[in-house]
Amino acid sequence: MPNLLLELRSEEIPARMQRKAAGDLKKLVTDALVEAGLSYEGAREYWTPRRLALDIHGLAARSADVREERKGPRTDANEKAIEGFLRGAGLSSVSEAQVVSDPKKGDFYVAVISKPGRATEEIVTDIMPGIIRDFPWPKSMRWGKASSKPGALRWVRPLQSIVCTFGPEHEETTVIPFEIDGITASNITYGHRFHAPEAITVRRFDDYAANLEKAKVILDAERRKDIILHDARDIAFANGLGLVEDEGLLEEVSGLVEWPQVLMGSFEEDYLSIPSEIIRLTIKTNQKCFVTRPQGGETLSNKFILVSNIQASDGGKEIVHGNGKVVRARLSDALHFWKRDQGNLPDLETLTTSAAKFALDLNKPLDQRMAKLDALDVTFHAKLGTQGARVARIQALAKELAKITGADAVLVDRAAVLAKADLRTEAVGEFPELQGLMGRKYAVLQGENASVAAAIEDHYKPQGPSDRVPEDRVAITIALADKLDTLIGFWAIDEKPTGSKDPFALRRAALGVVRILLERGVRLSLLKISETAYWALDYDVFSFMDPELAMAWGNDYTRDNFVMPSISGLLAFFHDRLKVYLRDQGARHDLIDAVLTSDADDLLMVARRVEALTAFITSEDGKNLLAGTKRATQLLAAEEKKGTVIADGVSQALLTLDAEKELFAAISSASKDASDAVAGEDFRSAMEALSKLRGPVDRFFEDVLVNDEDAAIRANRLSLLRLIREATGTVADFSKISG
């Protein structure tokens, strides 16, 4: 079957956009071909800095003929209905429709619509201009003389040429010469901008890829990555070093070169006095280079790996020299930042008020930066006040949380005050991704307690499902305070995530709280602590939420007559994150739903219930009890729906059969034991207590007719079923468990 080759060649595409753009091209083209009635065996996308390419093999040469029968109204229907049918079917009169008889429904019109198949070349010519014109680039531009005209083509960078060939694998191919904004598709492409700028004629994908490689272009991005990685490892090893690998940087660099040439540069060893994280980020951010370290060592070496797009005649000496000059200049700046952050600020006399507010020591550099952060009234959010106000809220909330986590209150207070101080350091100003980490380094330098220093870095964690969770109790406390203040603040001003949009990363913050509570075994009432955090918000916050409330707040509004409607919604938000986390850990969704109630605010206990229920429900006793309990609850629910009378309590005098007497005794015993176990937070023992109901429940349904003719006995037996539901309900809602 024929193959289709498509290439869209342009000026350099930003590296971060290339992979997605190639995937978008594949999806848009293949979807359009399938929608047009074509089938294909496979498709693969490719990309380099200057081109997106698509290889579709086994593509049908023609779409199939289509015959469709469209049923219309009855022949005696009103004229409007018939006219609408004819219009929709593309018929001019009823004489062009067939009449079909149905013994039950009578005669009705049927339109037989036949659409002949189309050649693939014709279909491609139709679909490609629209795909190119409407391509979903995050950012695009217009260029040239045509850019001033309405509807001018927009592309990420100026589009220069299009290749589109179609034909069998071993025969001559044809060009599909569609046109868009003066660019006509052909079989001509170009290789490396400097090494092979001449035109290349191509027929199909195999010679296209081979000719590009001869022209110093490696089409496969994964192969470029592999070349860069292995050459970098080899050159580092040859110099007695190890490569510090970076997948994100590797992906970016592979999108900057078509013919990767790996070289090694160096800088003065004096710069190694700068923290490794700053060196790495400086070299990565400014020059897109990799750093190295001595084999088996932790600190960095003064050698770096760069990737060039040119195979230089001098072996790359000038390229290395030029990159080295830039790296040294950037490291000189970084060294300046590092030293300045350890020195005194020039305006200490203006910081005394802020220092007094937070009990800061202005003899210490990090304390000075925190005082500066407050004195400048740096905004955290327009509706949530300044960073200084936020630090005060975190400080107050952390004080309450320390009582729960068992952290040292003095250390918690100190860590809360310094947690955001590094936001005013020059190192973090240059590299925001170092916030927290630089704070820890500066805290150690000025002699802070190790727990305080750790908390300054770790209070941002975890920042994703794979990030580590804080371990130190002080760090756990500050991390919870930071995330809870963020969540409650944004909930108060009604800035909640919507759909896929979450500009303030509130889902990540909530998942971070969930992970800390569960993985560090923290018992916390989210409702109570949320109320504490809610009341710590400033008057100004409430003015954004409700002006009348703010006015009342200013007139000594009290907690006793104040309702916080946002908190319940926030609890549901935590529940959603908890479900995601537990499912990722392998928990069944139905078991989570069986345990999780709308007012459950101790997430650790919910997780332990799910764990115990999972172990129980997979046991033989659990499976059998589940079957009996579901039968009881379903029968009870059906009778409740019908309005059948159910006794308020079980009358032992009306228990006439041994099976129902045995069940009543078993429920009384198991219910008490399960309740006691739940109260003691021993959920496994609660499950074991309930498992004793298995036999009595089975015998009850074997020997007892619930819907007895005697209304009093029936009501009593239904009440007995309700006891089963209530007993198992102490642990979980068994009706929500599948199976």
Side-chain angles (χ1 to χ4, degrees):
M1 293 180 72
N3 301 329
L4 178 70
L5 168 64
L6 178 70
E7 181 201 67
L8 304 175
R9 188 179 64 89
S10 68
E11 295 291 338
E12 277 72 6
I13 305 167
R16 67 184 183 280
M17 298 183 187
Q18 293 169 17
R19 183 181 291 273
K20 183 179 185 303
D24 287 341
L25 180 65
K26 174 183 173 182
K27 185 177 190 310
L28 290 169
V29 174
T30 55
D31 284 357
L33 292 174
V34 170
E35 187 176 344
L38 295 172
S39 61
Y40 65 95
E41 293 177 0
R44 184 177 173 187
E45 70 275 27
Y46 298 86
W47 63 93
T48 79
R50 299 175 63 215
R51 71 201 78 223
L52 302 178
L54 182 60
D55 172 32
I56 302 178
H57 52 274
L59 179 63
R62 187 179 183 83
S63 63
D65 296 340
V66 176
R67 185 180 185 277
E68 175 189 355
E69 291 188 0
R70 186 175 298 178
K71 186 177 179 181
R74 285 165 52 100
T75 54
D76 57 356
N78 62 61
E79 289 186 12
K80 287 188 176 180
I82 294 174
E83 287 175 3
F85 161 65
L86 294 175
R87 194 164 48 249
L91 304 181
S92 57
S93 70
V94 291
S95 63
E96 297 178 6
Q98 297 180 4
V99 177
V100 177
S101 296
D102 187 311
K104 295 182 179 179
K105 299 180 180 179
D107 296 342
F108 56 89
Y109 291 115
V110 172
V112 178
I113 304 171
S114 296
K115 295 180 181 179
R118 301 167 64 200
T120 297
E121 293 92 328
E122 181 183 345
I123 293 172
V124 172
T125 298
D126 283 350
I127 66 172
M128 283 309 304
I131 289 174
I132 294 172
R133 191 172 293 281
D134 300 327
F135 200 81
W137 291 109
K139 292 183 178 180
S140 57
M141 63 178 289
R142 294 177 295 179
W143 64 93
K145 294 181 180 179
S147 63
S148 61
K149 297 178 181 178
L153 174 64
R154 300 185 68 93
W155 199 247
V156 63
R157 294 292 185 271
L159 188 62
Q160 296 178 328
S161 68
I162 301 172
V163 169
C164 189
T165 65
F166 179 67
E169 188 174 352
H170 300 296
E171 298 177 20
E172 196 57 45
T173 58
T174 59
V175 173
I176 304 178
F178 63 85
E179 187 269 343
I180 180 168
D181 273 30
I183 303 174
T184 302
S186 68
N187 59 352
I188 303 297
T189 189
Y190 297 84
H192 193 283
R193 181 187 294 279
F194 304 111
H195 289 308
E198 302 82 10
I200 302 170
T201 302
V202 298
R203 295 189 302 276
R204 56 183 59 84
F205 179 77
D206 288 344
D207 70 285
Y208 165 74
N211 285 333
L212 279 180
E213 185 140 354
K214 290 177 184 176
K216 308 296 187 188
V217 175
I218 296 174
L219 184 64
D220 188 341
E222 295 303 324
R223 186 163 159 243
R224 292 199 304 276
K225 286 176 65 174
D226 190 63
I227 290 170
I228 293 168
L229 179 60
H230 284 87
D231 284 0
R233 286 173 176 170
D234 290 347
I235 196 171
F237 182 78
N239 285 270
L241 303 169
L243 177 70
V244 178
E245 297 185 16
D246 185 326
E247 177 60 29
L249 180 59
L250 180 62
E251 174 79 10
E252 183 178 11
V253 170
S254 73
L256 297 174
V257 297
E258 290 187 317
W259 191 248
Q261 304 296 306
V262 179
L263 304 167
M264 176 174 278
S266 64
F267 55 85
E268 287 75 13
E269 292 189 359
D270 291 348
Y271 290 122
L272 294 178
S273 61
I274 307 169
S276 297
E277 295 84 0
I278 296 181
I279 295 175
R280 184 175 178 179
L281 267 176
T282 298
I283 293 176
K284 171 183 175 178
T285 304
N286 293 293
Q287 286 303 103
K288 314 302 178 190
C289 296
F290 298 85
V291 294
T292 63
R293 61 166 61 101
Q295 291 182 5
E298 291 297 324
T299 58
L300 298 183
S301 77
N302 68 324
K303 307 288 186 181
F304 63 90
I305 303 290
L306 63 103
V307 182
S308 170
N309 193 35
I310 297 175
Q311 188 172 336
S313 58
D314 65 354
K317 290 181 181 178
E318 281 301 314
I319 296 172
V320 169
H321 176 70
N323 276 267
K325 284 176 65 177
V326 178
V327 165
R328 282 188 283 276
R330 295 289 181 259
L331 288 177
S332 178
D333 291 342
L335 183 60
H336 175 71
F337 298 150
W338 171 242
K339 289 181 177 178
R340 287 255 305 189
D341 287 339
Q342 297 174 58
N344 291 328
L345 292 173
D347 53 352
L348 291 182
E349 67 280 356
T350 67
L351 306 179
T352 53
T353 301
S354 293
K357 183 193 305 184
F358 292 102
L360 295 166
D361 182 355
L362 290 182
N363 291 314
K364 296 182 176 181
L366 202 57
D367 290 55
Q368 295 175 21
R369 272 68 186 176
M370 177 57 221
K372 188 72 172 180
L373 185 70
D374 179 67
L376 289 175
D377 286 335
V378 176
T379 300
F380 167 62
H381 184 277
K383 296 181 181 180
L384 291 173
T386 65
Q387 286 283 7
R390 173 162 153 74
V391 169
R393 293 197 304 269
I394 292 173
Q395 186 182 16
L397 189 56
K399 181 178 180 181
E400 297 302 314
L401 286 166
K403 300 172 185 176
I404 298 168
T405 62
D408 185 295
V410 174
L411 296 180
V412 164
D413 188 73
R414 180 65 173 163
V417 167
L418 294 180
K420 306 296 181 182
D422 67 353
L423 296 179
R424 288 303 305 169
T425 62
E426 296 195 36
V428 173
E430 180 72 11
F431 301 111
E433 54 267 64
L434 290 180
Q435 62 184 9
L437 187 147
M438 294 311 302
R440 178 177 191 162
K441 289 185 177 295
Y442 294 136
V444 170
L445 285 173
Q446 70 178 35
E448 298 295 334
N449 182 279
S451 291
V452 171
I456 293 172
E457 178 182 5
D458 290 354
H459 82 279
Y460 290 106
K461 298 182 178 297
Q463 296 197 47
S466 59
D467 195 16
R468 65 180 177 86
V469 174
E471 296 182 11
D472 186 277
R473 290 186 180 184
V474 176
I476 290 170
T477 306
I478 305 302
L480 286 172
D482 177 61
K483 292 169 178 58
L484 288 169
D485 175 76
T486 298
L487 287 160
I488 291 153
F490 282 107
W491 235 255
I493 61 173
D494 200 26
E495 293 279 0
K496 306 167 189 174
T498 56
S500 60
K501 295 183 178 179
D502 186 10
F504 304 110
L506 301 184
R507 290 188 180 92
R508 186 175 70 187
L511 182 59
V513 171
V514 169
R515 287 192 61 200
I516 291 171
L517 296 180
L518 271 56
E519 295 179 27
R520 295 296 174 251
V522 179
R523 296 285 312 280
L524 179 66
S525 169
L526 285 173
L527 286 175
K528 289 182 180 178
I529 202 66
S530 295
E531 183 178 352
T532 300
Y534 205 90
W535 279 91
L537 294 171
D538 294 336
Y539 159 83
D540 290 340
V541 174
F542 291 94
S543 68
F544 284 109
M545 185 176 68
D546 186 340
E548 292 184 7
L549 174 60
M551 187 178 296
W553 188 274
N555 292 320
D556 296 325
Y557 206 80
T558 65
R559 297 192 189 196
D560 295 335
N561 51 15
F562 176 64
V563 179
M564 295 176 295
S566 305
I567 296 300
S568 59
L570 179 56
L571 185 58
F573 186 68
F574 275 117
H575 286 175
D576 290 340
R577 297 307 101 202
L578 176 65
K579 289 177 182 179
V580 170
Y581 176 81
L582 292 177
R583 283 199 295 266
D584 288 346
Q585 298 299 308
R588 282 169 38 183
H589 69 88
D590 58 326
L591 300 187
I592 300 171
D593 291 339
V595 165
L596 190 59
T597 59
S598 61
D599 61 348
D601 71 336
D602 186 339
L603 303 189
L604 179 61
M605 289 299 99
V606 171
R608 288 180 178 173
R609 281 175 182 258
V610 172
E611 182 183 357
L613 182 59
T614 300
F616 175 64
I617 217 68
T618 53
S619 68
E620 197 62 30
D621 281 345
K623 292 176 184 176
N624 291 331
L625 179 60
L626 174 62
T629 301
K630 288 178 76 73
R631 182 177 176 184
T633 54
Q634 288 168 359
L635 195 158
L636 180 62
E639 294 302 319
E640 288 174 333
K641 189 175 182 180
K642 290 190 292 186
T644 305
V645 175
I646 302 173
D648 292 335
V650 174
S651 171
Q652 295 190 57
L654 293 176
L655 300 176
T656 59
L657 300 177
D658 290 342
E660 58 184 332
K661 293 177 182 178
E662 180 187 359
L663 178 59
F664 178 70
I667 291 174
S668 300
S669 175
S671 181
K672 181 182 182 303
D673 292 345
S675 296
D676 291 345
V678 168
E681 298 172 3
D682 185 354
F683 300 113
R684 289 187 180 275
S685 295
M687 299 293 178
E688 290 175 6
L690 292 177
S691 70
K692 297 174 184 177
L693 291 176
R694 171 192 166 182
V697 168
D698 289 345
R699 281 188 288 277
F700 177 82
F701 283 115
E702 289 173 4
D703 299 348
V704 178
L705 176 65
V706 176
N707 287 319
D708 193 89
E709 293 180 359
D710 187 313
I713 292 178
R714 179 172 62 249
N716 199 55
R717 289 174 179 172
L718 288 171
S719 183
L720 193 56
L721 295 187
R722 187 159 57 194
L723 286 183
I724 297 175
R725 184 171 67 184
E726 291 172 355
T728 54
T730 59
V731 174
D733 184 348
F734 275 49
S735 67
K736 294 182 178 179
I737 302 175
S738 60

